[in-house]
Amino acid sequence: KNQVEQSPQSLIILEGKNCTLQCNYTVSPFSNLRWYKQDTGRGPVSLTIMTFSENTKSNGRYTATLDADTKHSSLHITASQLSDSASYICVVSAHLGSGTYKYIFGTGTRLKVLA
Amino acid sequence: GAVVSQHPSRVICKSGTSVKIECRSLDFQATTMFWYRQFPKKSLMLMATSNEGSKATYEQGVEKDKFLINHASLTLSTLTVTSAHPEDSSFYICSARVPGGFNTEAFFGQGTRLTVV
């Protein structure tokens, strides 16, 4: 069964600190993995997208890693800011064949950054 | 970067009426758009895949007669919630993928908060 699990479910950190969010998946066949940031009441905004051959990708203070062997990804946030408070969603794409793909969404990690 | 615009951002309607939500790709042509529903503190649930010029593909359990999807042009898809009931109250989000292969970026609209009273 194609699944994406994220941990922790929620996280509270102090402004300026770093944190790492985890994503484990059992999606096959794997196509790509995306991290999104979703502010409350808004649509998700893309942070990174990684294919099978990519191990790491950065976007400003966000760095995502991917280990396709262990089917694990992480999102590291450096020097957190209050505006980083949001839900972070890991999305894995599966190739179902005949040019058909499916997005499998994780349940998200709710991050709250405190001053 | 590419932008997907969703309208309205919030709508309140009476039970039994229909509501239309629009999703537009502003600077690219999207042959495929996706419609999601999101409950509080839950992840996005795919409702249907909207294909330009053809019928939408609905996920299992989603009533196609209740959630009408029209993708009449390469930049516009609409979701109509027909005969809305309070249980249809939710956050609806659309997304569109930039053409050029599956590893291209997918952009989301701002979402529509539907409240049925």
Side-chain angles (χ1 to χ4, degrees), chain A residues 28-108:
Chain A
S28 181
F30 175 89
S31 180
N32 59 56
L33 184 146
R34 308 160 191 255
W35 281 95
Y36 287 91
K37 176 187 178 188
Q38 184 179 22
D39 292 311
T40 301
R42 307 286 293 176
V45 174
S46 177
L47 297 176
T48 64
I49 175 172
M50 287 185 292
T51 59
F52 183 87
S53 60
E54 295 175 294
N55 299 120
T56 184
K57 184 167 281 189
S58 291
N59 178 1
R61 294 181 296 102
Y62 301 103
T63 299
T65 65
L66 173 64
D67 185 334
D69 292 330
T70 61
K71 299 187 177 180
H72 174 80
S73 174
S74 66
L75 180 69
H76 186 74
I77 304 175
T78 305
S80 61
Q81 300 176 358
L82 297 178
S83 59
D84 292 333
S85 296
S87 286
Y88 291 83
I89 306 171
C90 175
V91 183
V92 180
S93 303
H95 182 200
L96 304 180
S98 303
T100 303
Y101 296 83
K102 195 176 184 76
Y103 293 104
I104 295 96
F105 284 75
T107 50

Side-chain angles (χ1 to χ4, degrees), chain B residues 13 16 26-27 42 47 58 61-62 70 75-76 83-84 88 99 115:
Chain B
C13 71
L26 296 186
D27 52 1
K42 298 293 184 182
M47 297 175 65
Y58 289 81
V62 178
N70 185 286
T75 59
L76 174 65
S83 187
D88 298 325
T115 303

Side-chain angles (χ1 to χ4, degrees), chain A residues 32 38 46 93 101-102 106, chain B residues 38 43 59 102-103 105 109-110:
Chain A
N32 59 56
Q38 184 179 22
S46 177
S93 303
Y101 296 83
K102 195 176 184 76
Chain B
Q38 187 175 31
S43 191
E59 294 298 298
F102 192 69
N103 289 325
E105 195 53 80
Q110 307 95 314

Side-chain angles (χ1 to χ4, degrees), chain B residues 9-58:
Chain B
S9 57
R10 286 179 176 271
V11 58
I12 300 173
C13 71
K14 290 184 177 181
S15 187
T17 61
S18 295
V19 174
K20 180 185 282 188
I21 303 170
E22 292 187 348
C23 180
R24 294 180 185 274
S25 56
L26 296 186
D27 52 1
F28 66 99
Q29 294 183 329
T31 53
T32 303
M33 291 185 176
F34 305 89
W35 286 96
Y36 298 87
R37 184 173 179 174
Q38 187 175 31
F39 292 101
K41 297 184 179 181
K42 298 293 184 182
S43 191
L44 281 72
M45 288 182 358
L46 179 65
M47 297 175 65
T49 302
S50 168
N51 301 297
E52 187 268 337
S54 64
K55 292 183 178 180
T57 303
Y58 289 81

